[in-house]
Amino acid sequence: MLRIDGCIDELRKAVREIRNGGAGIGLVPTMGYLHEGHLSLVRKSRAENTATIVSIFVNPTQFGPNEDFDAYPRDLERDTRLLEKEGVDVAFCPAPGDLYTADHSTFVTEEAVSRDLCGASRPGHFRGVCTIVLKLFNIVGPDRAYFGEKDFQQLQVIRRMVRDLNLPVQIRGCPIVREPDGLALSSRNVYLSASERQAALALNLSLKKAREQFCSGEKSAAVLVESVRKELEKEETLRVEYVELRDAADLSLTSKVEKPVVLALAVRVGKTRLIDNTILNEVSS
Ligand code: PAF
């Protein structure tokens, strides 16, 4: 595996050489501190492309001033070893100064899909995500790019950006990977104390319960949302930020489950913000 720590020209040269070999290129953008969720994206990319590039970059522009940019967990040496073992071709690990000049002044703003849910509580977050993802697409020129469905809104915002800006890349979403007890994998789980982690199990449990209600015939958004809220409120240490049921394609409001929908939530457990979701009424492919 080639590890390129910052030099964009060096990465572009590596990509040119890979492409000259006729390879389809898969890009897995990450912020590092890799877990099985990230590795599932890597494996899907390896299965669908002849070369896989993984970027590791904690992107400052997607963090608000009072968010956890400085505290965000980092372990580049461990990440490198994991990617090496997975057979990744290139790990691109820039520093903020490699991607943003001090007078950087161009940003990408998606104005519909990114507005509510996490967009409402994290102003500027998706602007930062779109900007860095477009920059990575421009640097790497991947044929396919891989994102987890845990960040479901992020995935749909990126799909919209790719559609609206005619970007020549296929976006692949990959299912949430969970711990055996149901907690969705997240680099931020490392912040949780034992009791907070226990309380966080309510996220998946509440979604599972609503899914069961849906499977028994409940189609009302209000009832399903209320059911999730009630379950979450049983855990006194959780603070619910939002529970919403939205059209899965464009995240518009919907009062009834008729098309595929996402039941999505964000909560705070102590100082940690966690998100989770489940897709209902999914069209099987
Ligand atoms: O999902 C993430 O880890 C980040 O938001 C991403 C897509 C790598 C952009 O920084």
Side-chain angles (χ1 to χ4, degrees):
M1 182 180 80
L2 188 59
R3 176 169 136 183
I4 299 174
D5 277 350
C7 181
I8 292 171
D9 286 341
E10 199 186 328
L11 180 73
R12 285 201 159 121
K13 184 164 163 274
V15 171
R16 257 197 315 277
E17 278 163 17
I18 292 170
R19 219 179 269 297
N20 288 343
I25 295 177
L27 171 67
V28 183
T30 80
M31 298 207 299
Y33 213 71
L34 304 176
H35 51 64
E36 276 298 314
H38 297 111
L39 299 183
S40 74
L41 307 181
V42 168
R43 288 173 197 142
K44 188 152 179 191
S45 172
R46 294 248 307 136
E48 294 182 349
N49 300 278
T50 31
T52 290
I53 298 178
V54 178
S55 61
I56 297 179
F57 180 62
V58 185
N59 172 38
T61 64
Q62 69 187 74
F63 289 81
N66 299 318
E67 293 187 352
D68 57 343
F69 174 71
D70 288 329
Y72 197 85
R74 294 160 168 89
D75 191 343
L76 197 50
E77 296 317 314
R78 179 178 159 275
D79 289 347
T80 307
R81 282 197 300 277
L82 286 171
L83 295 179
E84 182 98 59
K85 237 170 83 190
E86 290 295 327
V88 162
D89 298 84
V90 181
F92 179 48
C93 314
D98 296 314
L99 289 180
Y100 294 108
T101 54
D103 58 353
H104 181 101
S105 57
T106 307
F107 294 88
V108 183
T109 311
E110 191 288 324
E111 296 187 350
V113 185
S114 64
R115 208 176 322 127
D116 300 340
L117 308 171
C118 294
S121 47
R122 303 187 69 189
H125 170 66
F126 288 115
R127 172 185 184 256
V129 169
C130 285
T131 302
I132 192 62
V133 169
L134 181 60
K135 280 165 76 67
L136 291 168
F137 287 174
N138 285 336
I139 292 165
V140 174
D143 298 283
R144 296 174 196 82
Y146 297 80
F147 298 89
E149 286 177 357
K150 185 173 78 66
D151 295 278
F152 192 80
Q153 186 177 18
Q154 167 173 281
L155 173 63
Q156 298 308 59
V157 169
I158 290 167
R159 284 193 204 282
R160 178 63 65 97
M161 172 179 79
V162 164
R163 186 200 75 179
D164 288 353
L165 300 183
N166 307 98
L167 304 179
V169 56
Q170 285 177 40
I171 302 302
R172 294 275 206 259
C174 304
I176 297 177
V177 179
R178 296 181 183 279
E179 300 276 11
D181 60 10
L183 184 68
L185 294 190
S186 162
S187 304
R188 289 189 169 99
N189 290 350
V190 72
Y191 298 148
L192 301 172
S193 69
S195 63
E196 287 171 343
R197 196 193 171 290
Q198 186 60 32
L201 297 181
L203 276 68
N204 177 52
L205 287 175
S206 66
L207 293 171
K208 258 174 85 176
K209 191 162 177 204
R211 165 173 285 285
E212 280 160 19
Q213 285 170 283
F214 168 72
C215 291
S216 326
E218 184 57 68
K219 298 277 192 291
S220 154
V223 171
L224 293 168
V225 164
E226 191 46 34
S227 156
V228 173
R229 243 180 210 287
K230 268 220 175 95
E231 271 313 292
L232 293 174
E233 281 164 6
K234 284 186 192 161
E235 278 295 342
E236 280 173 8
T237 50
L238 299 185
R239 269 183 301 131
V240 178
E241 192 178 279
Y242 68 76
V243 180
E244 298 227 30
L245 187 138
R246 297 280 179 133
D247 182 285
D250 61 9
L251 302 188
S252 60
L253 277 164
T254 173
S255 58
K256 248 196 158 132
V257 185
E258 282 164 339
K259 292 192 275 180
V261 298
V262 60
L263 187 51
L265 60 84
V267 302
R268 286 193 185 269
V269 194
K271 288 199 172 103
T272 308
R273 184 177 181 278
L274 297 176
I275 56 174
D276 203 344
N277 70 75
T278 188
I279 311 291
L280 302 177
N281 213 20
E282 200 162 16
V283 193
S284 50
S285 50

